[in-house]
């Protein structure tokens, strides 16, 4: 017959079973660390208002209560806490204890967090110093902590001064530079306008068994477009091609823009041709800029060829294209063609604006075709466009140049009577001066006539 066991014997049995568990030590240790950590966080929270607290003592005592040693997580927590509240005076004793009293290998992430914290506090020398001290904490520094430090330093000119020493020290610490390291440095150099140094560093990457990628070449290229000249831009494009990176359509278009700005229209057009040979499609903006450049240089034939070329490759002109082309036609005195282009523009879905019409009106006035200018003005009104002071100035100046002062006065009155139109002050001033001049001339003529009449009577 089986005898029931007593409560005491049950407890003893459970204790024997528990003590026999091979996981007891690890489980109890982990549980003790968790308890100590919770107690530590609570104590730190209670001491938050006291600036005299010794966070190191709190840390050690909390873990000692549970017969445990402070863990890397505990150190990580208190260091983050110190940086969040900028209690930097408490950091030194904690780091000294971590370095000399502890035996575990300190995780690199703790130093990464400290470097970032010093960076946010603008304590760049401290950030570099903690990086140099990493090996003393039984930790092998890697390119991860190096890159974080370089990122922090490269954000300011003061930090960039420290970069050279950091790189020399990194070599002594046997840290191998990676492509990501070069990216950080090259970005900083481009941002600070040191493009020659950036290109030099790019070429050094091969010596460190690092291969530059297309993004890195593009970064330097766009910096050259902003800060360099066309010679540098073209040379670097060739360097990209030699390295096996074919420039994108966007990069070619940027080169075209630089060349046009420097008045090198022919070179810009050569790049358009090169793009097309490589199967890349130039954008409308590039064509617009080169057409405009040729028109400014009075090379109207080349501008016409480019406009036709756009249509042949299936690139639809936009409003800016038509405005540039119409301006060129007016500059040549080809006003009938300019008038027809207004209609073509509308059929293509690019509605001409008032400035487009003003360009043609100005062209008519330039060749003394005032009637056509007035006719086009009426067409503008029929389309529901609101005239502006520029339109008024163009027509009135044209009439005054032909001596038609009364007609100019009448036109000004008519335009003023139109709802929503207020002529500029210059219109009134110009017309007033002309009327006064005419009045004086009439007065002079009258006096001269009277004088001659008196002389005859004598």
């Amino acid at each position: 017959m089986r005898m029931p066991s007593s409560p005491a014997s049950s407890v003893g049995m459970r204790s024997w079973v528990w003590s026999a568990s091979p996981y007891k030590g690890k489980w109890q240790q982990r549980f003790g660390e968790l308890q100590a950590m919770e107690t530590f966080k609570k104590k730190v929270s209670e001491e938050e208002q006291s600036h005299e607290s010794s966070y190191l003592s709190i840390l050690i005592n909390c873990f000692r209560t549970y017969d445990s040693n402070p863990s890397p997580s505990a150190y990580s927590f208190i260091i983050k806490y110190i940086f969040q509240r900028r209690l930097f005076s408490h950091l030194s004793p904690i780091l000294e204890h971590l370095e000399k009293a502890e035996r575990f290998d300190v995780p690199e992430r703790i130093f990464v967090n400290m470097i970032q914290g010093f960076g946010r506090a603008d304590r760049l020398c401290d950030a570099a110093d903690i990086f140099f001290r990493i090996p003393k904490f039984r930790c092998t520094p890697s390119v991860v902590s190096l890159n974080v430090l370089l990122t922090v330093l490269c954000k300011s000119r003061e930090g960039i001064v420290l970069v050279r020493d950091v790189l020399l020290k990194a070599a002594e610490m046997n840290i191998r530079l990676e492509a990501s390291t070069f990216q950080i440095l090259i970005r900083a150099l481009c941002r600070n306008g040191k493009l020659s140094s950036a290109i030099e560093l790019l070429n050094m990457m091969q010596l460190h068994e690092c291969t530059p990628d297309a993004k890195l070449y593009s970064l330097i290229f766009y910096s050259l477009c902003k800060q360099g000249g066309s010679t540098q831009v073209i040379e670097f494009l060739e360097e990209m091609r030699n390295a096996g990176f074919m420039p994108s359509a966007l990069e070619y278009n940027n080169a075209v823009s630089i060349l046009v700005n420097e008045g090198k229209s022919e070179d810009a057009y050569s790049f358009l041709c090169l793009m097309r040979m490589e199967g890349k499609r130039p954008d409308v903006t590039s064509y617009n800029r080169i057409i405009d450049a040729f028109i400014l240089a009075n090379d109207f034939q080349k501008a016409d060829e480019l406009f036709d070329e756009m249509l042949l490759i299936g690139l639809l002109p936009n409003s800016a294209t038509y405005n540039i082309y119409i301006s060129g036609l007016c500059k040549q005195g080809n006003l009938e063609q300019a008038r027809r282009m207004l209609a073509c523009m509308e059929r293509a879905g690019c509605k001409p604006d008032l400035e487009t019409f003003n360009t043609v009106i100005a062209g008519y006035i330039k060749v003394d075709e005032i009637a056509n200018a007035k006719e086009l003005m009426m067409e503008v009104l029929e389309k529901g466009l609101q005239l502006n002071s520029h339109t008024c100035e163009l027509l009135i100046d044209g009439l005054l140049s032909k001596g038609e002062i009364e007609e100019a006065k009448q036109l000004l009155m008519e335009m003023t009577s139109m709802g929503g139109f207020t002529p500029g002050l210059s219109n009134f001033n110009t017309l007033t001066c002309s009327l006064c001049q005419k009045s004086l001339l009439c007065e002079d003529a009258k006096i001269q006539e009277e004088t001659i009449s008196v002389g005859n009577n004598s």
Side-chain angles (χ1 to χ4, degrees), residues 181-200:
T181 314
F182 284 97
Q183 287 174 5
I184 294 167
L185 297 172
I186 289 173
R187 284 183 186 278
L189 290 169
C190 289
R191 194 165 52 244
N192 287 276
K194 300 184 180 297
L195 302 179
S196 297
S197 298
I199 295 171
E200 184 180 348

Side-chain angles (χ1 to χ4, degrees), residues 83-208:
F83 272 94
Q84 286 170 359
R85 288 157 181 79
R86 300 202 172 194
L87 303 171
F88 297 113
S89 60
H90 293 272
L91 185 60
S92 183
I94 290 174
L95 291 178
E96 186 175 353
H97 185 83
L98 182 60
E99 176 187 341
K100 297 179 179 178
E102 298 293 355
R103 292 292 175 264
F104 61 81
D105 296 342
V106 181
E108 189 179 17
R109 58 181 167 80
I110 290 180
F111 301 104
V112 167
N113 291 334
M114 280 195 282
I115 291 169
Q116 291 172 331
F118 279 128
R120 285 190 291 270
D122 200 27
R123 298 173 64 132
L124 304 181
C125 290
D126 289 334
D129 181 62
I130 197 63
F131 170 75
F132 297 150
R133 288 177 61 188
I134 290 178
K136 295 181 179 180
F137 293 86
R138 302 162 301 284
C139 174
T140 302
S142 73
V143 73
V144 174
S145 52
L146 172 62
N147 283 354
V148 170
L149 176 59
L150 291 175
T151 301
V152 166
L153 296 179
C154 287
K155 287 181 179 178
S156 66
R157 292 187 179 274
E158 296 79 6
I160 288 177
V161 175
L162 303 173
V163 167
R164 181 177 177 277
D165 290 339
V166 168
L167 291 174
L168 290 174
K169 189 68 176 178
E172 294 175 11
M173 296 163 73
N174 295 317
I175 299 176
R176 180 179 175 274
L177 302 186
E178 295 184 359
S180 55
T181 314
F182 284 97
Q183 287 174 5
I184 294 167
L185 297 172
I186 289 173
R187 284 183 186 278
L189 290 169
C190 289
R191 194 165 52 244
N192 287 276
K194 300 184 180 297
L195 302 179
S196 297
S197 298
I199 295 171
E200 184 180 348
L201 202 58
L202 180 76
N203 296 329
M204 285 176 57
M205 290 181 68
Q206 299 287 353
L207 300 176
H208 292 266

Side-chain angles (χ1 to χ4, degrees), residues 181-329:
T181 314
F182 284 97
Q183 287 174 5
I184 294 167
L185 297 172
I186 289 173
R187 284 183 186 278
L189 290 169
C190 289
R191 194 165 52 244
N192 287 276
K194 300 184 180 297
L195 302 179
S196 297
S197 298
I199 295 171
E200 184 180 348
L201 202 58
L202 180 76
N203 296 329
M204 285 176 57
M205 290 181 68
Q206 299 287 353
L207 300 176
H208 292 266
E209 299 180 355
C210 296
T211 304
D213 58 12
K215 289 183 179 179
L216 207 49
Y217 274 96
S218 293
L219 170 67
I220 296 177
F221 173 77
Y222 287 122
S223 298
L224 283 171
C225 287
K226 290 179 181 178
Q227 305 169 36
S230 62
T231 302
Q232 288 177 291
V233 168
I234 293 172
E235 286 177 355
F236 191 75
L237 272 181
E238 189 60 30
E239 191 172 324
M240 285 179 67
R241 293 164 65 88
N242 292 336
F245 298 106
M246 300 303 290
S248 66
L250 184 59
E251 286 162 345
Y252 272 127
N253 287 324
N254 274 283
V256 166
S257 180
I258 296 290
L259 289 164
V260 170
N261 286 342
E262 294 185 6
K264 300 176 180 178
S265 308
E266 291 291 346
D267 291 337
Y269 180 63
S270 298
F271 267 91
L272 283 189
C273 296
L274 183 59
M275 288 176 70
R276 293 178 57 192
M277 287 172 58
E278 293 180 0
K280 297 179 177 68
R281 184 167 172 166
D283 63 11
V284 178
T285 303
S286 289
Y287 269 100
N288 289 350
R289 298 207 65 183
I290 298 177
I291 291 172
D292 191 34
F294 281 129
I295 288 172
L296 289 172
N298 294 322
D299 192 345
F300 303 112
Q301 181 180 348
K302 200 68 178 179
D304 288 340
E305 290 173 2
L306 271 175
F307 187 83
D308 293 339
E309 184 180 302
M310 286 182 66
L311 301 175
L312 286 172
I313 67 172
L315 201 59
L316 295 177
N318 57 19
S319 297
T321 317
Y322 282 108
N323 285 338
I324 291 167
Y325 191 63
I326 288 170
S327 175
L329 291 170

